[in-house]
Amino acid sequence: MRILIVEDEEGIASFVGKGLRAEGFSVDWAADDRKGLWLAKTNTYDLIVLDIKLPEKDGIEICRELRKEKKTLPIIMLTVKSETATKVEALNAGADDYLTKPFSFEELLARIRALLRRPETIVGPKLKVNDLELDTLSHTVVRGSKSIQLSKKEFTLLEYFMRNAGITLTRNMILEHVWDMNVDPFTNTVDVHVRFLREKIDSRHRRKLLHTIHGIGYKME
Ligand code: CA
């Protein structure tokens, strides 16, 4: 899952970014409204963490603009203590949730997970495809009765596949959701990671779950 942080305070952005990366998310950071809007419109994010107080346009305006463009992704707004009016304004502008500074990383993470769980097809923190099960909270993967050790990237990749089970995902989609903007789009990094992942989840099983769709990408089924 890929997250955009729009926040001018470098300390907060780096604290949130580090934490999210450690949890296996891909993270991009924009320090001002212009870069934030541009990234949000150009890339495909699964969620935006949006600070309300930015140097020029504020978070509320950015939120409104994104909603006007029919961007439906979850947005969590960071507000400052005891500004009730602002919170109401944030929700009215289309934010899904807000968090008051100072906040703990654990709380932000819990809210992010709650928002990412929202799609109707996903019930609870566990994803299941056939006998493969991924727990987004404990970061464990089990196939049958055997637990599988994955690297952070492999875990994120598998989570993306499982959330989109039955859908063919192009290399570009995978790149956009699982990697951050520093990845070179011309490398074969997706294929390499899929190969590693497949080795771990499929190689010892007769029934394969991760399929290559020739000329397009991959599908988990
Ligand atoms: Ca700020």
Side-chain angles (χ1 to χ4, degrees):
M1 308 297 267
R2 186 175 178 186
I3 293 180
L4 172 65
I5 302 171
V6 186
E7 164 66 271
D8 57 318
E9 283 163 82
E10 197 174 345
I12 294 177
S14 96
F15 147 77
V16 170
K18 249 182 230 157
L20 289 176
R21 282 191 196 99
E23 291 293 323
F25 292 96
S26 298
V27 180
D28 290 338
W29 170 44
D32 59 64
D33 59 291
R34 233 175 276 182
K35 190 175 177 197
L37 262 176
W38 183 75
L39 285 177
K41 288 178 181 178
T42 315
N43 298 325
T44 312
Y45 293 100
D46 298 291
L47 184 141
I48 300 181
V49 177
L50 181 55
D51 185 35
I52 207 156
K53 272 217 157 123
L54 295 164
E56 287 175 45
K57 266 186 204 171
D58 65 16
I60 302 244
E61 276 180 76
I62 293 182
C63 192
R64 268 199 207 109
E65 198 162 329
L66 290 175
R67 292 306 188 220
K68 219 164 60 195
E69 298 221 343
K70 304 263 184 292
K71 295 264 183 202
T72 56
L73 78 173
I75 297 177
I76 297 185
M77 212 161 266
L78 303 180
T79 64
V80 180
K81 218 173 184 175
S82 73
E83 291 179 341
T84 316
T86 319
K87 287 170 193 168
V88 173
E89 219 185 330
L91 294 174
N92 284 342
D96 297 275
D97 200 357
Y98 60 82
L99 199 53
T100 306
K101 289 180 186 174
F103 54 86
S104 72
F105 178 72
E106 284 66 33
E107 181 167 11
L108 175 65
L109 185 62
R111 284 166 188 257
I112 286 176
R113 286 201 167 125
L115 286 172
L116 292 177
R117 266 205 301 273
R118 238 180 223 175
E120 296 69 30
T121 47
I122 293 151
V123 188
K126 282 188 180 168
L127 305 174
K128 204 168 183 305
V129 174
N130 198 264
D131 59 346
L132 178 67
E133 210 176 281
L134 178 149
D135 189 323
T136 57
L137 286 184
S138 62
H139 274 226
T140 48
V141 176
V142 174
R143 175 135 194 213
S145 54
K146 273 224 162 84
S147 117
I148 297 170
Q149 301 298 319
L150 297 181
S151 72
K152 248 173 226 152
K153 201 46 120 188
E154 289 160 357
F155 185 89
T156 312
L157 183 60
L158 180 61
E159 183 181 348
Y160 181 58
F161 274 125
M162 292 181 79
R163 283 185 189 273
N164 295 285
I167 300 169
T168 298
L169 302 169
T170 66
R171 282 182 185 77
N172 249 339
M173 289 164 80
I174 297 168
L175 215 50
E176 284 183 344
H177 282 272
V178 181
W179 274 265
D180 61 29
M181 62 181 175
N182 298 315
V183 72
D184 174 1
F186 299 105
T187 60
N188 61 346
T189 181
V190 170
D191 302 280
V192 170
H193 280 84
V194 167
R195 204 184 312 142
F196 289 148
L197 181 61
R198 191 175 255 163
E199 175 67 30
K200 292 184 179 176
I201 63 164
D202 267 348
S203 65
R204 272 169 236 100
H205 297 263
R206 195 179 303 161
R207 185 172 182 153
K208 308 298 181 199
L209 300 176
L210 196 46
H211 308 278
T212 301
I213 309 297
H214 288 288
I216 303 176
Y218 299 97
K219 175 156 92 172
M220 171 148 277
E221 206 166 35

